[in-house]
Amino acid sequence: MKKIIGALLLVCIFVGGYLLIPSNYYLRQTIVHLYPKIDQYPIFENRKVSAKDPQPWETADVYNKLSINPAYLPQFKKHGTVAFLVIQDSALVFEQYWEDYSDQKRSNSFSMAKSIVSLAIGCAIDDGFIANTEQAVSDFIPEFNSFNGKKLTIKHLLTMSAGVDFEESYVSPFSPTTQLYYGDNLKDVVYGMKMIEEPGIYFNYQSGVTQLLAFIVEKATGESLSAYVSRRLWTPMHAEEDALWSLDHKGGSEKAYCCFNSNARDFARFGQLILNNGSWDGNQLVSASYIKEAITPDTLLIDKKYNEPNRHYGYQFWKLSFEGSEVVYMRGMLGQYVFVIPEKRAIVVRLGHKRGENYTSQHYPDDIDVWLKAASDLLNQKENKTF
């Protein structure tokens, strides 16, 4: 027994010592906080994305006179929905909140933030800080030059075809994704990525690639990502509330691949911007040509996971077909979505704790069908005045 106790003590001492190594800070955080959650931003340092010209959404005549079809409510509950919102013709048609969430309470965007980074790249091109999407990454970050003579471009990053050795895993405590989320040095992880195959061949979803895009925005503009997004997007779109972008450490870098914390009403503004082809109040915030490219999948890329042409991912935006509509959307790992439905001139936002575990033939989580059907039903109620 004494030998067993002694052995256990040695193991505890070894593990404890290993966790105390400064570079293993992220492991200590992982053990304390476990799986990422939508309300964790207080555990991180955050930088404000200022809303300097707030204006509320207009409300439709039928605002909140509609109701979610009861057939969908079990799925809303099962997946821990905290916010559901529908906008049509730039007016708020419906919104509902659960738990202690409201039109002001913040929730993590998770990977919806990737789409925001893409829009920031478009702004930087419009502003002349970046020449175009074909500009070499090494012009800004020399560590990423070329693979067998083929240069790595900003477009390769935008389309997730960079060919780097980044394992996208949300369950392993040792994955680089976990290191990005719970770690305190984003640059160590991202600048440590190696090019292992020719860029521009395979679509391979990698959060580290988006983080690299954010570093390019900072290098190109000379501003923090939060300050640039506030100036070029958040304030001109008249967001009602300041957002918070979580950082790796105090005064550090934004966790740009995730962790933009806001509310359903203000997240919807990004969808409206896409629906408006980059325009807001008559001002072109992002060029229409960039928006068109951003929401168009590059079918020449081969989806590495499914070994078929990429039909569902553009420049950090997703795309799917639903009931005859081509839907562009932003997507986060726990079921955070902003859907743009051009045929209905509508925006749908869903925030919550979980998403579907199964995937459709179009390779999107099957809970998406619930949110789109529920929104379609609400819009049909509005059109047919059945409320």
Side-chain angles (χ1 to χ4, degrees):
M1 180 61 73
K2 288 183 178 180
K3 289 183 178 179
I4 294 174
I5 293 173
L8 288 173
L9 284 172
L10 285 174
V11 170
C12 290
I13 291 170
F14 174 79
V15 172
Y18 180 74
L19 291 174
L20 287 174
I21 297 172
S23 61
N24 290 332
Y25 169 83
Y26 82 94
L27 282 176
R28 299 196 297 275
Q29 291 291 90
T30 303
I31 291 170
V32 171
H33 300 290
L34 301 177
Y35 198 67
K37 303 171 185 67
I38 64 174
D39 55 359
Q40 278 183 321
Y41 70 89
I43 73 172
F44 301 117
E45 296 289 340
N46 294 280
R47 185 169 286 132
K48 185 187 297 184
V49 183
S50 299
K52 297 178 180 178
D53 187 18
Q55 294 181 21
W57 286 97
E58 293 183 7
T59 54
D61 292 342
V62 298
Y63 170 68
N64 269 14
K65 294 179 182 178
L66 315 174
S67 58
I68 297 172
N69 188 321
Y72 302 119
L73 291 178
Q75 292 296 316
F76 273 69
K77 182 177 180 180
K78 175 184 175 181
H79 292 98
T81 302
V82 299
F84 191 70
L85 177 150
V86 179
I87 289 169
Q88 188 176 49
D89 295 325
S90 302
L92 195 56
V93 172
F94 177 88
E95 62 181 335
Q96 187 170 342
Y97 301 92
W98 292 261
E99 300 178 13
D100 61 344
Y101 282 80
S102 69
D103 58 4
Q104 295 181 327
K105 182 169 179 178
R106 297 185 181 101
S107 174
N108 195 339
S109 67
F110 288 107
S111 287
M112 291 203 302
K114 292 180 170 68
S115 304
I116 301 172
V117 172
S118 173
L119 292 172
I121 288 286
C123 290
I125 292 172
D126 292 342
D127 290 343
F129 294 123
I130 296 173
N132 51 54
T133 60
E134 298 296 340
Q135 187 167 3
V137 171
S138 59
D139 288 352
F140 304 95
I141 304 174
E143 289 87 339
F144 294 89
N145 193 349
S146 64
F147 183 85
N148 290 345
K150 184 169 182 178
K151 70 178 181 179
L152 180 66
T153 68
I154 290 172
K155 184 176 181 177
H156 293 142
L157 303 185
L158 288 166
T159 56
M160 293 287 186
S161 61
V164 296
D165 62 340
F166 186 96
E167 179 193 4
E168 190 77 9
S169 172
Y170 304 106
V171 295
S172 170
F174 301 102
S175 76
T177 317
T178 304
Q179 292 180 53
L180 288 180
Y181 186 73
Y182 279 125
D184 59 357
N185 197 323
L186 290 165
K187 288 182 178 177
D188 268 4
V189 179
V190 173
Y191 288 1
M193 296 189 305
K194 305 296 181 185
M195 296 178 66
I196 58 172
E197 58 190 16
E198 185 175 331
I201 303 297
Y202 296 104
F203 164 77
N204 189 17
Y205 188 88
Q206 297 172 312
S207 289
V209 168
T210 306
Q211 191 62 51
L212 192 55
L213 280 170
F215 292 149
I216 289 173
V217 171
E218 289 184 340
K219 292 255 188 179
T221 66
E223 297 180 67
S224 72
L225 182 61
S226 294
Y228 190 63
V229 167
S230 170
R231 181 169 66 82
R232 289 291 276 105
L233 295 168
W234 203 238
T235 294
M237 293 192 305
H238 307 302
E240 292 184 71
E241 305 289 337
D242 294 337
L244 295 177
W245 214 324
S246 297
L247 308 177
D248 55 356
H249 58 267
K250 187 173 183 178
S253 299
E254 288 84 353
K255 297 175 189 285
Y257 67 96
C258 80
C259 310
F260 185 100
N261 300 278
S262 185
N263 58 70
R265 285 189 176 191
D266 282 341
F267 279 134
R269 296 175 190 274
F270 290 113
Q272 189 68 51
L273 185 67
I274 294 298
L275 189 61
N276 295 349
N277 297 312
S279 176
W280 199 284
D281 287 345
N283 299 314
Q284 199 70 38
L285 305 186
V286 189
S287 66
S289 59
Y290 182 86
I291 296 295
K292 183 178 180 180
E293 291 177 10
I295 64 175
T296 304
D298 185 345
T299 55
L300 295 179
L301 297 176
I302 301 299
D303 188 313
K304 198 163 191 177
K305 183 177 180 180
Y306 298 104
N307 193 31
E308 63 184 40
N310 163 48
R311 299 186 181 92
H312 48 265
Y313 201 78
Y315 290 177
Q316 316 274 300
F317 282 90
W318 297 89
K319 195 168 190 177
L320 60 85
S321 296
F322 179 80
E323 296 182 349
S325 297
E326 293 298 305
V327 178
V328 175
Y329 66 111
M330 302 162 66
R331 176 167 128 188
M333 64 177 285
L334 296 183
Q336 294 73 40
Y337 301 108
V338 174
F339 300 104
V340 182
I341 312 174
E343 288 83 356
K344 295 181 181 293
R345 309 173 309 284
I347 310 300
V348 180
V349 179
R350 187 272 177 181
L351 306 176
H353 296 288
K354 300 177 184 177
R355 73 180 183 194
E357 296 180 356
N358 300 312
Y359 284 70
T360 70
S361 60
Q362 293 186 63
H363 312 313
Y364 62 77
D366 60 1
D367 63 294
I368 285 178
D369 287 338
V370 177
W371 322 131
L372 291 178
K373 287 177 180 178
S376 179
D377 183 86
L378 287 165
L379 292 173
N380 286 336
Q381 289 179 45
K382 174 177 179 281
E383 182 178 350
N384 298 322
K385 295 182 172 55
T386 55
F387 52 88

